[in-house]
Coordinates of all heavy atoms in Angstrom, one line a residue:
Chain A
D833 N 5.6 -30.7 -19.3 CA 6.1 -30.5 -20.6 C 5.6 -29.1 -21.2 O 5.4 -28.9 -22.3 CB 5.6 -31.6 -21.6 CG 4.1 -31.6 -21.7 OD1 3.4 -30.9 -20.9 OD2 3.6 -32.3 -22.6
I834 N 5.5 -28.2 -20.3 CA 5.0 -26.8 -20.7 C 6.1 -26.2 -21.6 O 7.3 -26.5 -21.4 CB 4.8 -25.9 -19.3 CG1 4.1 -24.7 -19.7 CG2 6.2 -25.5 -18.8 CD1 3.5 -23.9 -18.5
P835 N 5.6 -25.5 -22.6 CA 6.6 -24.9 -23.6 C 7.4 -23.7 -22.9 O 7.1 -23.3 -21.8 CB 5.8 -24.4 -24.7 CG 4.4 -24.4 -24.3 CD 4.3 -25.3 -23.1
F836 N 8.5 -23.3 -23.6 CA 9.3 -22.2 -23.2 C 9.9 -22.4 -21.7 O 10.0 -21.5 -21.0 CB 8.5 -20.9 -23.2 CG 7.7 -20.6 -24.4 CD1 6.3 -20.6 -24.2 CD2 8.2 -20.7 -25.7 CE1 5.5 -20.4 -25.4 CE2 7.4 -20.5 -26.8 CZ 5.9 -20.4 -26.7
R837 N 10.3 -23.7 -21.5 CA 10.8 -23.9 -20.1 C 12.1 -23.2 -19.8 O 12.3 -22.6 -18.7 CB 10.9 -25.4 -19.9 CG 9.6 -26.1 -19.6 CD 9.7 -27.5 -19.9 NE 10.5 -28.3 -19.0 CZ 10.8 -29.5 -19.1 NH1 10.5 -30.2 -20.2 NH2 11.5 -30.1 -18.2
R838 N 13.0 -23.2 -20.8 CA 14.3 -22.6 -20.6 C 14.1 -21.0 -20.5 O 14.7 -20.4 -19.6 CB 15.3 -22.9 -21.8 CG 15.9 -24.3 -21.7 CD 16.7 -24.5 -22.9 NE 17.9 -23.6 -22.8 CZ 19.1 -24.0 -22.2 NH1 19.1 -25.2 -21.6 NH2 20.1 -23.2 -22.2
F839 N 13.2 -20.5 -21.3 CA 13.0 -19.1 -21.3 C 12.4 -18.7 -20.0 O 12.8 -17.7 -19.3 CB 12.0 -18.7 -22.5 CG 11.6 -17.3 -22.4 CD1 12.4 -16.3 -22.8 CD2 10.4 -16.9 -21.9 CE1 12.0 -14.9 -22.8 CE2 9.9 -15.5 -21.9 CZ 10.9 -14.6 -22.3
T840 N 11.4 -19.5 -19.5 CA 10.8 -19.2 -18.2 C 11.8 -19.3 -17.1 O 11.7 -18.5 -16.1 CB 9.7 -20.3 -17.9 OG1 8.8 -20.3 -19.1 CG2 8.8 -19.9 -16.7
Y841 N 12.7 -20.2 -17.2 CA 13.7 -20.4 -16.1 C 14.5 -19.1 -16.1 O 14.8 -18.6 -14.9 CB 14.6 -21.6 -16.4 CG 15.6 -21.9 -15.3 CD1 15.1 -22.6 -14.2 CD2 16.9 -21.5 -15.3 CE1 16.0 -22.9 -13.1 CE2 17.7 -21.8 -14.2 CZ 17.3 -22.5 -13.2 OH 18.1 -22.7 -12.2
G842 N 14.9 -18.6 -17.2 CA 15.8 -17.3 -17.2 C 14.9 -16.2 -16.8 O 15.4 -15.3 -16.0
M843 N 13.6 -16.2 -17.2 CA 12.7 -15.1 -16.8 C 12.5 -14.9 -15.3 O 12.4 -13.8 -14.8 CB 11.4 -15.3 -17.4 CG 10.3 -14.3 -17.1 SD 8.7 -14.9 -17.8 CE 8.1 -16.0 -16.4
M844 N 12.6 -16.0 -14.6 CA 12.4 -16.0 -13.1 C 13.4 -15.3 -12.3 O 13.3 -14.9 -11.2 CB 12.3 -17.5 -12.6 CG 11.0 -18.2 -13.1 SD 9.5 -17.4 -12.7 CE 9.5 -17.5 -10.9
F845 N 14.6 -15.1 -13.1 CA 15.7 -14.4 -12.3 C 15.6 -12.9 -12.5 O 16.3 -12.1 -11.8 CB 17.0 -14.9 -12.8 CG 17.4 -16.2 -12.3 CD1 17.1 -17.4 -12.9 CD2 17.9 -16.4 -11.1 CE1 17.3 -18.7 -12.5 CE2 18.2 -17.6 -10.5 CZ 17.9 -18.7 -11.2
V846 N 14.7 -12.4 -13.5 CA 14.6 -11.0 -13.7 C 14.0 -10.3 -12.5 O 14.7 -9.2 -12.0 CB 13.8 -10.7 -14.9 CG1 13.6 -9.2 -15.1 CG2 14.5 -11.3 -16.2
P847 N 12.9 -10.8 -11.8 CA 12.5 -10.0 -10.6 C 13.5 -9.9 -9.5 O 13.5 -9.1 -8.6 CB 11.2 -10.8 -10.2 CG 10.8 -11.6 -11.4 CD 12.1 -11.9 -12.2
L848 N 14.4 -11.0 -9.5 CA 15.4 -11.0 -8.4 C 16.3 -9.8 -8.4 O 16.8 -9.4 -7.4 CB 16.4 -12.3 -8.6 CG 15.9 -13.5 -7.9 CD1 17.0 -14.6 -8.2 CD2 15.8 -13.3 -6.4
I849 N 16.5 -9.2 -9.6 CA 17.3 -8.0 -9.7 C 16.6 -6.7 -9.4 O 17.3 -5.6 -9.4 CB 18.1 -7.9 -11.0 CG1 17.1 -7.8 -12.2 CG2 19.0 -9.1 -11.3 CD1 17.8 -7.4 -13.5
I850 N 15.3 -6.7 -9.4 CA 14.6 -5.5 -9.3 C 14.5 -5.2 -7.7 O 13.8 -6.0 -6.9 CB 13.1 -5.6 -9.8 CG1 13.3 -6.0 -11.3 CG2 12.5 -4.1 -9.7 CD1 11.9 -6.1 -12.0
P851 N 15.0 -4.1 -7.2 CA 14.9 -3.7 -5.8 C 13.4 -3.7 -5.3 O 12.5 -3.2 -6.0 CB 15.5 -2.3 -5.7 CG 16.5 -2.3 -6.9 CD 15.8 -3.0 -8.0
G852 N 13.2 -4.2 -4.1 CA 11.8 -4.2 -3.5 C 11.2 -2.8 -3.5 O 10.0 -2.7 -3.7

Side-chain angles (χ1 to χ4, degrees):
Chain A
D833 63 346
I834 195 166
F836 318 118
R837 285 158 67 193
R838 282 179 69 85
F839 175 78
T840 307
Y841 188 80
M843 175 189 87
M844 292 303 292
F845 286 92
V846 178
L848 270 181
I849 62 169
I850 308 177

